[in-house]
Amino acid sequence: MNSLNGKYKPRLAAGTIGVVTVLMVAEFVGTFESAMIFIALPSLMSEFNADAAAVGWAATAFLLVAAASAAICGRLGDMYGRKKMLVAVLAISVLGSIVSFSFGSLEGVIAGRALQGTAGATLPLCLGIARESLPEKKVPGVIALIAGCSFIAGAGGNLIAGILLDAGSWRTLFLVSGAMGLIATFMVATMLAPSLPSSGPQQKIDYIGGLLFAPAVALVLYGLTNSASWGIFDARTLGFVAGGLLVAAIWCWWELRTSNPMINLRLMRGNKMGLTQLATAVLNLGPLVALGLLTPIILLSPVEAPVGMGLSASAAGLIIFSAAALCFIGSPISGRIAAALGARRALLIGVGTSIVGYAAMFFSDNHLGLFIINTYVIAIGTMFTYTAFPNLVAEAVPLEHTSEGMGINTVTRTIFMAIGTTVITMALASSTAEGTTLPTESAFNSAYTAILVSCILGLVLALMIKEPRKTRSVEQSPVSLER
């Protein structure tokens, strides 16, 4: 029986628990490598006598490659086997750790980080493997759990990186990330059964689509990630974004005219997939990016500031990590709701909880106890929202396009997180205390207002998404690859 009819489930090299563990380890490595560098930026500035803009490339290089890798490697995984592609991206990320560790220059670190960026494809590939390998009734819960692993990996990445920096140097980070990558690669290679590639005639790789997609995403992201320092209306920001959009337009034209596109834009025709991408974009302008951005600022700002708790870095880190742990522990609940009622319900719960949390922030951002409770409420809302999206994609696309669909969603999330970060930082910069750079209470209220607008728009889009129905195979699916 063919794997693309939605019924075939390949033999598991490990039991269900073993497979889920392997996928969680792989996703943990990908997210850890993304998060670990931020706390190391001051050390890199000191080590190489470089300014923040130059050292920031260690983060930007990863982000640019990760965005393109998520979609392109997701598609290649669907075509030629997701396990093979997951092993490949993890192995390349290990090579990146070796390069960053070995070269004694900032350029070497940045080059290694770019190679590490291929790990941006771990989430779509892991979610695709979960969907193809596990019993159908367990898939929504496992998808939510793997996605929820991103919370603990992100918060843990900063915590572990801080401990490693205190105990050693920035090289220790790459030594540990390389070791983790090797372990994950070995586990994937030995514990997962081979993924079956797409059936039918051998498909040719759309090299032109792949070559056009990467610079389109990179140019847009580069402009957006630098807009905070350049200015949103700076000629450089507008030039990079406009250039990226022009390349993206050419790429869209090419992908819609080829019979075997690198990224199948026809997947976007359906109500659910299209609205899922719109909701992803809108909610990443607010609640999905705000928690990680605003919480550290408020916790670490001095009590003399208009808004600030005056906590130490370790105390703030513990609060943030506990919120992330709550998200991880609660993520299976989102999966159970998605399995029983559809991922749309989980998304509605998440957005509704976020609205309550951010509305309460108008009254709690100067009271530590209330702020911590409210942070947990917002974290729960963020968890439901974030983990609902991959299940919405799984409901929207055929099995054989799972990793590709997840990759498209990851790219959407990455781009609009960059925009959302700019929007919120601009709101915080709109009003500062006299003689300081600290945001006033009015500035925080402006940020909360922008987030609530994003939540309300996201709620409207979520209500427009159709209820789930059984995903069809390629022969039955309305999404056709024919011209």
Side-chain angles (χ1 to χ4, degrees):
M1 185 178 293
N2 193 288
S3 66
L4 298 187
N5 62 14
K7 298 179 180 179
Y8 177 86
K9 297 293 181 182
R11 175 185 59 82
L12 302 182
T16 298
I17 294 177
V19 170
V20 174
T21 300
V22 173
L23 297 179
M24 288 175 60
V25 169
E27 171 54 18
F28 185 94
V29 170
T31 305
F32 174 84
E33 290 182 346
S34 174
M36 72 177 196
I37 199 65
F38 293 100
I39 199 168
L41 293 180
S43 296
L44 294 176
M45 292 171 64
S46 175
E47 174 77 15
F48 299 112
N49 193 26
D51 60 20
V55 170
W57 268 99
T60 303
F62 184 101
L63 181 67
L64 298 181
V65 175
S69 175
I72 293 175
C73 293
R75 171 60 171 151
L76 293 176
D78 287 340
M79 291 172 61
Y80 300 110
R82 299 177 183 109
K83 175 185 172 180
K84 291 180 183 178
M85 192 54 56
L86 184 56
V87 169
V89 299
L90 286 171
I92 294 172
S93 76
V94 172
L95 176 61
S97 295
I98 294 172
V99 170
S100 292
F101 176 86
S102 302
F103 285 75
S105 66
L106 180 59
E107 292 76 13
V109 171
I110 293 171
R113 287 289 294 168
L115 290 171
Q116 280 188 320
T118 57
T122 54
L123 182 60
L125 290 169
C126 286
L127 297 180
I129 291 172
R131 191 181 178 197
E132 76 176 10
S133 302
L134 300 175
E136 186 174 354
K137 64 181 181 179
K138 294 185 178 181
V139 169
V142 171
I143 285 179
L145 184 63
I146 295 171
C149 186
S150 298
F151 289 101
I152 201 76
N158 281 311
L159 187 61
I160 295 170
I163 294 172
L164 292 173
L165 284 172
D166 288 340
S169 70
W170 61 268
R171 291 179 187 269
T172 312
L173 294 181
F174 295 104
L175 181 64
V176 171
S177 67
M180 291 171 58
L182 276 176
I183 293 170
T185 304
F186 177 79
M187 292 176 68
V188 171
T190 59
M191 295 180 67
L192 298 183
S195 299
L196 294 181
S198 297
S199 65
Q202 185 66 39
Q203 298 175 330
K204 294 182 179 180
I205 298 176
D206 175 23
Y207 291 105
I208 294 178
L211 291 173
L212 287 173
F213 180 76
V217 173
L219 287 169
V220 171
L221 275 178
Y222 183 68
L224 292 173
T225 53
N226 284 283
S227 61
S229 57
W230 291 345
I232 192 68
F233 297 112
D234 185 89
R236 291 169 292 180
T237 301
L238 297 177
F240 277 106
V241 172
L245 292 176
L246 177 60
V247 177
I250 298 171
W251 169 76
C252 288
W253 170 81
W254 173 263
E255 295 293 81
L256 289 172
R257 70 180 294 275
T258 186
S259 59
N260 181 40
M262 175 62 75
I263 298 173
N264 183 18
L265 293 177
R266 297 173 184 86
L267 291 173
M268 304 292 288
R269 287 178 178 172
N271 164 280
K272 179 163 288 184
M273 187 62 175
L275 287 174
T276 295
Q277 300 315 305
L278 284 175
T280 300
V282 167
L283 292 170
N284 272 286
L285 294 177
L288 291 181
V289 72
L291 183 65
L293 184 61
L294 294 178
T295 306
I297 295 175
I298 295 173
L299 290 175
L300 293 171
S301 293
V303 291
E304 296 80 13
V307 177
M309 303 299 173
L311 297 185
S312 66
S314 57
L318 185 61
I319 292 172
I320 294 169
F321 186 79
S322 64
L326 180 64
C327 291
F328 174 68
I329 294 169
S331 59
I333 300 174
S334 173
R336 292 192 186 100
I337 291 173
L341 302 172
R344 173 178 175 268
R345 301 293 180 88
L347 179 60
L348 288 170
I349 292 172
V351 177
T353 305
S354 295
I355 289 174
V356 172
Y358 282 106
M361 285 298 286
F362 285 96
F363 313 102
S364 65
D365 57 9
N366 268 313
H367 303 85
L368 181 58
L370 291 176
F371 179 80
I372 292 174
I373 294 171
N374 207 39
T375 296
Y376 290 157
V377 171
I378 292 172
I380 292 170
T382 302
M383 177 273 293
F384 271 98
T385 303
Y386 182 81
T387 56
F389 285 125
N391 272 314
L392 282 168
V393 173
E395 292 174 359
V397 303
L399 173 62
E400 60 272 17
H401 292 289
T402 300
S403 292
E404 179 183 8
M406 301 293 182
I408 293 172
N409 189 254
T410 300
V411 173
T412 302
R413 174 168 53 85
T414 302
I415 290 174
F416 282 89
M417 279 183 70
I419 299 175
T421 299
T422 301
V423 170
I424 293 174
T425 52
M426 288 179 63
L428 294 179
S430 64
S431 175
T432 57
E434 186 176 355
T436 73
T437 58
L438 297 171
T440 63
E441 188 171 359
S442 173
F444 277 101
N445 289 341
S446 296
Y448 300 146
T449 301
I451 295 164
L452 284 171
V453 170
S454 167
C455 288
I456 292 169
L457 292 175
L459 184 67
V460 172
L461 290 170
L463 290 170
M464 294 170 62
I465 295 174
K466 293 180 179 178
E467 294 289 349
R469 57 183 177 180
K470 188 175 180 62
T471 302
R472 293 173 289 184
S473 67
V474 101
E475 293 82 9
Q476 299 170 307
S477 173
V479 180
S480 173
L481 294 182
E482 296 299 323
R483 288 178 63 183

